[in-house]
Amino acid sequence: MTEFLMSFWQTYNTLFYTVLVHGMLALSIYITLACGQLSLGNAAFMGIGAYTAALFTLKLNAPFGLSLLAGGMLPAFVALIIGVPTLRLSGVYLAMATLGFGEVVRVVFLNMSITGGSVGLNGVPPKTELWHLLLVMGVLIYFFLKLKNSRFGRALEAIREDEVAAAVMGIKTTSFKVWAFVIGAFIAGVAGGLNAHFTFFLSPREYGFDFAVDILTFAILGGTGTFWGPLVGSTILTILPEMLRFLGSYRLALNGLILVLVVVYLPNGIITVKKKD
Amino acid sequence: MFLQQFANALVLGSVYALFALGFTLIFGVLEVITLAHGAVFMIGAFAGLAVVTKFNAGLIPAILVGMMASGILGWLIDLLAIRPLRKRKFHHLAPMIATIGCATFVISISQGVFGAEIYRFPFDFMPATSYNFWAMQLTLLQIIIVGVALALMLIIIFLLNRTKWGKAVRAVAETPRTAALLGIPVERVFQLTSFSASALGGAAGVLTGINFNAIHTFMGGPIMHRGIAVIILGGMGDIRGAVVGGLILGFAEIMSVAYLSSDFRDAISFGLLFIILLVRPAGIFGSNIERKG
Amino acid sequence: MLRLENIIKDFGGLRVLDSLSLQVGEGLIFGLIGPNGAGKTTLFNIISGLSRPTAGRVIFNGTDITHLPPSSIAACGMGRTFQNIRIFKELSLLENVLAGMHRLFTYSPVAMLLNLPVQKREEKALREKALEILELFHLAGKAKRQAESLSYGEQRKLELARALATSPKLLLVDEPAAGMNPAETEELMGEIVQINNRGYTICLIEHDMKFVMGVCRQVAVLNFGELIALGSPQEVKCNPLVIEAYLGKEECK
Amino acid sequence: QAAEIKIGVTEALTGPVAKYGVPIKNGFVLAADEINAAGGIKGNKIVLVIEDEQAKKEEAINVFKKFIFQDKVLAIFGPTLSNSAFASDPIANKEKIVVFGTSNTAEGITDIGPYVFRNSVAEADILPIVTKVATKKLGLKKVAIIYGNDDSMTKSTYEIFLRSIKAEKLEVVDTETFAKGDIDFSAQLTKIKSLNPDAVFCGALVEEASNIILQARKLGIPNKIRFIGGNGFNSAKLIEIGGAAAEGSISGSPWFLDDPSKINQTFVKAYTKKYGMAPDQFAAQAYDALYIMAEGIKAISLSGNVEKDRTTLRDALAKVKNFKGVGGLFSFNESRDAEQKGRVLYIKNGKFAIYAE
Amino acid sequence: MMLLELKDVYVNYNHIQALKGISLNVAEGEIVALIGANGAGKSTTLNAISGLLKTTGGNIIYEGSNITGHSPQSIVRSGIIQVPEGRAILTTLKVRENLEMGAFTRKNDRIKDNLDAVFARFPVLQKKAELSAGNLSGGEQQMLALGRALMAKPRLLLMDEPSMGLSPILVREIFQIITEINKQGTSILLVEQNAQMALEVSRRGYVLETGHIVLEDTSANLLHNEKVIHAYLGG
Ligand SMILES: Nc1ncnc2c1ncn2[C@@H]1O[C@H](COP(=O)(O)OP(=O)(O)OP(=O)(O)O)[C@@H](O)[C@H]1O
Ligand SMILES: Nc1ncnc2c1ncn2[C@@H]1O[C@H](COP(=O)(O)OP(=O)(O)OP(=O)(O)O)[C@@H](O)[C@H]1O
Ligand SMILES: [Mg+2]
Ligand SMILES: [Mg+2]
């Protein structure tokens, strides 16, 4: 039995790590969705975080904690810069801005020498351990739990429901949106840093549009009524392709089918908040 | 060289426009960013290819069959993945996720059927001769692409603004509930839109497939992502916007390669789109006539 | 308390407000009436910062708020409701009102994270106050319900409750009685007066003359963006311009 | 009692990269079937455990772990892309199991550790020769370059070309790039055309390469301006898609489809029969790789203790020398990279032919 | 024969019962008023008739045939037109197009005359015919909604609070129009908060309270009913 568990863990520990990282990414987009903004930039933020953290480790020999912090700060800073002009305006505006931003980031990674261009960065030392991931996830869950019934959480929800009305309530909509976006970028960046330190390798291709959409899918599929939704969504979507391996080359077809079915049967996400109506 | 680059941009822009037309139409009416449009586009190209290789069909039948196949696929996607959502309350992005699932499914099955390699239309399918206008060199097909993109735009605008059903589509696009109260068969309008918008995607697929000789299961990917940019830039749901947005992106890409650097093409062109949006937040033709009172 | 100076508003070629100047005194219930399309709602939008006047100034309690964003204007103590009802549909009634109280909360993010007593205290106190406000509109029983499930008239009341929750010095109310029957309107009149008695200045747009005559102390009449009459309800009621443009003969009995 | 020799194969079998991953898998399967039909290795049958990795690094890692800890394979082939290899190969190396890449061309792959092998052609050896031959035969003076800058394979082709072009003292009049998935190259080619180079060096995989050449001809770049590419050009698809436009295009590789050697013709025939299409270089390399692996396995006696067998296999494999495969004579050098003679090829009458030995 | 009959109709929103078995009828040529407090279920009743809401019990009979569960468009086709609450106009369409859409279910030939008739009744609409309807003021929108319903040549008009948000002059005008429309042969089921006016123009009335019909009488009687006066007329 223990032997079975051992080999099970050895086989699937990376998968489990990935589940946690994807969970963080799902939370990173949840917070922007919570105020009604659609961001397609979280993959790029993850990329910036991953590169920054990896470079801190590789070039500066920085302690892991510092690398991670840097990996969170830089994307947060970038988010601040693009967030301030774009979030004054509403609608799909942020989606476009972040879509373009993702492209710019990809091109920059490709053309910088320090990032290794298209070849990427390899040999990132494996520093991420289970407890790092659990700790970060724990902190995030605590944060979102606290946020939920606070004035800040309510303000985000109000903005999501009706931005104009929220502004008239005296809620500083722009700064809330920017903050949410920046915090999301920070979380994505830290997730990227953690990810870089257990997959050894980074390349610009990983942080593109497709992954941005995947992250969005985690959140929507899981449900955006509460932060548990994105966590459940990311877990399911990360594990599912592995569970469907036995189907061989048609596993993606089934994966797609399951996605459709879940959305059709649970259009508000897997986890929905019950409100009396 | 400028004139040739101008022509190149016109062609590329028209390809984007063709793709974006159906894309934006679905968004405008169903309020769904259908991420299956790339897959629909791909199926159109394969269907066109199939009739050409199997039955030696010409350009027009190829386009028609491509449109039919894509139209039916789009209609099925609507029927099975989007329609069930319309009947209930849902997160406004849920249908988009459902279309991702559809895209994954369709692409995966097509890969099983067609494999992963690339195909092309037969060499003698379209005359390869080029025509010269001033210093521009264009093939017949390229001229057709530009013409079709503009013509389709005008036709769709005409239909939407001048015909009873076109207006019904706009009514449904705004508020299905009110449309229903006016006796408009809302469900039929949704399905009709899904079918025709997807058929437009199919036409785009066939033309792109013939012109660029790269038909494969994943051909919808790169253009999807540009398609989104184009429809946001043009103004979500706006038909003129799809074409103008497509042309702008085409010009931005070609001209940044021609006069700046191909290394930074995507950064420059997407950056430019971003700047245009700073000036016109709702897109070029988008308007916010939302009343605040 | 509120002073409008030569407000002009154009939409494209259309002049909707034409050099409008007006003052609303402290403590009043001020009525703004006029035919449909006269520009009343547009004026509210300008005062609350949702749209910018083409020319002119808005002075509120001595400060020029013409160019402030809506949230800052709200922070100066302005609350409003909307003609087309804009409640937070997916939130509960209580959450709607609490969102309205946003600026009354003072605790910091740190307090939130550490669960400091200041947070608990504020949340508790304001929650009670929110219920009290809901009670004022007879909605406390439905506090946990989702706002969307309310009927039209109830939604109007909720919106009013939410506006009141911002504790505004000046409350702009756009057609509060629309969709209410006379009995309910009467009840609402009582509530409006009660709110006013608590010290809130109220400026309201309404087409129900009983309502306007019953609660307003001063009434301004707008027609095609111009002020055609200003005075007590009685004065305005029998002003021939007003009768012609707005009331019709029957009202001045 | 014949034992089973379990070998893990993980390639990108779905997703856009599948167009490389699938032929690779086909090559392995064909070779395994042949070996087993001929009685296996010392009577032991080869069993391939095949898993998809979608060209995603996380998936490659997951599959590697599954191979190592659950399936207990003897050795691993794959993954398809160098990018994934950088993520997964360290795991194999740490667990002391041979990982053998057949398509990982990036620099530094075998530096990951002593358990990492590959037989993917090192373009660094052949492309300088291609450049040299082309310069001489065509009398090149000024050239243009176009390459995909977001792909490590095409980027490395470019870098090697650039070095060799400098060595030949050619003038580079223009360098253009494109991105994966691009279908329109007109802007780059119009620019190149206006600068009138003698030849265009091209770092592109076949689907982009064939379209680049086609569009170049459409824009009026004449056939006498040759396109010169790396082993991405080495595919029957280039002829199928490019047709007459591709005529004369030059590339370099140890293997080519129309190589008349008997061993190659047998392979091409068998492959074409089995899969309904001609093999490409990726398939050929995979096919050879399994035979090379078999050489290694032949040299050891399997103990049944898979951990122990893995290490002995490594040592035996490193010693493989002068193996005769479809790509000619093959040896591992001391850093476990391929040592193989490349040939300069060109397309003549719709077939690959030797341009110069 | 009754034009419209509701027999013991139930409607639920998820778990809330909004209509708990209501029965009412409208005879050919009648104006019937339906009054009740906020949330009583008036709009729900109209939406159930229009086919926008599913009934969970009871029958809706129109001209003798059961139309329960029919689609909205077939109900519109049969001549039941609703002027919805809160001015559900199509803001992105032009004013003229809104009116044209009102005639969606009709043959095209007589629409032009009809349009002229509506313009004659509401000159503001003609003036703003080419404007996006979203730019109309609240009152203008209400007129548009009414005009649009008239374009359909309804047999039975369901009106949900048509006087809401209108200036006093217009309110009187609207009621006048209602009477006129009725005189020209359209039956009307009128939901109104302005109970006084509604009962003045109608022949019969129903009082709805939390999903039940609690009173049903001629309008004249209802106007003098203690309870009605107290609860709905503000006496
Ligand atoms: N965004 C806009 N673009 C163009 N015209 C507009 C816009 N908003 C309002 N208008 C016009 O301005 C005029 C005044 O509108 P407003 O909504 O202020 O009227 P109102 O006095 O509130 O009327 P009601 O009592 O009917 O609500 C109307 O004629 C309307 O058509
Ligand atoms: N979409 C909905 N979801 C849940 N409950 C609803 C919904 N719409 C209405 N209700 C409930 O159904 C009941 C009847 O609502 P309805 O809108 O029919 O009232 P009404 O009589 O038209 O009121 P009003 O005069 O305010 O318009 C109310 O209690 C309301 O809360
Ligand atoms: Mg108004
Ligand atoms: Mg109602």
Side-chain angles (χ1 to χ4, degrees), chain B residues 1 4-5 8-9 11-12 15 108 111 116-120 123 128 130 137 139 141-142 208 210-214 216 218 222-223 226 253-266, chain D residues 13-20 22 147 149 175-188 190-191 193-194 206-208 210-211 214-215 218-220 237 239-244 277:
Chain B
M1 183 173 84
Q4 182 60 45
Q5 294 292 23
N8 296 340
V11 174
L12 183 63
V15 167
S108 172
Q111 195 185 344
E117 75 256 51
I118 63 171
Y119 299 87
R120 64 162 293 157
F123 279 99
S130 300
Q137 200 167 19
T139 62
L141 185 70
Q142 290 174 321
T208 311
I210 300 172
N211 192 45
F212 293 107
N213 305 302
H216 58 104
F218 298 93
I223 200 168
R226 292 184 167 98
E253 289 193 353
I254 297 284
M255 294 305 167
S256 58
V257 171
Y259 297 105
L260 296 159
S261 148
S262 49
D263 273 334
F264 290 94
R265 177 193 67 194
D266 293 337
Chain D
L13 303 178
T14 58
V17 183
K19 55 181 166 276
Y20 315 118
V22 170
Y147 73 99
N149 74 340
T175 304
E176 295 292 331
T177 59
F178 59 85
K180 225 179 172 40
D182 276 5
I183 48 175
D184 180 57
F185 307 94
S186 60
Q188 291 94 328
T190 302
K191 220 167 144 186
K193 182 186 169 201
S194 74
V206 66
E207 58 272 20
E208 279 107 10
S210 42
N211 232 328
L214 267 173
Q215 287 177 24
K218 258 190 214 160
L219 282 165
K237 277 275 167 196
I239 299 165
E240 188 189 322
I241 305 281
M277 58 182 152

Side-chain angles (χ1 to χ4, degrees), chain B residues 96-192:
Chain B
M96 177 171 117
I97 305 299
T99 60
I100 296 176
C102 293
T104 315
F105 181 79
V106 170
I107 290 173
S108 172
I109 297 290
S110 331
Q111 195 185 344
V113 177
F114 308 119
E117 75 256 51
I118 63 171
Y119 299 87
R120 64 162 293 157
F121 277 85
F123 279 99
D124 49 5
F125 183 63
M126 286 296 293
T129 42
S130 300
Y131 298 84
N132 285 306
F133 307 88
W134 300 291
M136 297 188 283
Q137 200 167 19
L138 286 167
T139 62
L140 176 62
L141 185 70
Q142 290 174 321
I143 297 167
I144 292 177
I145 288 177
V146 175
V148 167
L150 294 177
L152 279 178
M153 172 185 86
L154 295 176
I155 291 171
I156 298 170
I157 290 176
F158 175 82
L159 291 175
L160 285 178
N161 287 306
R162 291 295 150 80
T163 64
K164 179 170 161 180
W165 278 91
K167 288 174 197 169
V169 169
R170 283 163 62 212
V172 171
E174 186 179 329
T175 330
R177 189 188 153 87
T178 305
L181 279 178
L182 297 175
I184 296 170
V186 175
E187 194 48 48
R188 223 183 311 155
V189 167
F190 278 136
Q191 296 186 19
L192 182 79

Side-chain angles (χ1 to χ4, degrees), chain B residues 16-34:
Chain B
Y16 292 157
L18 273 174
F19 182 84
L21 275 174
F23 204 18
T24 208
L25 192 58
I26 293 193
F27 179 82
V29 179
L30 281 77
E31 286 186 23
V32 176
I33 298 181
T34 166

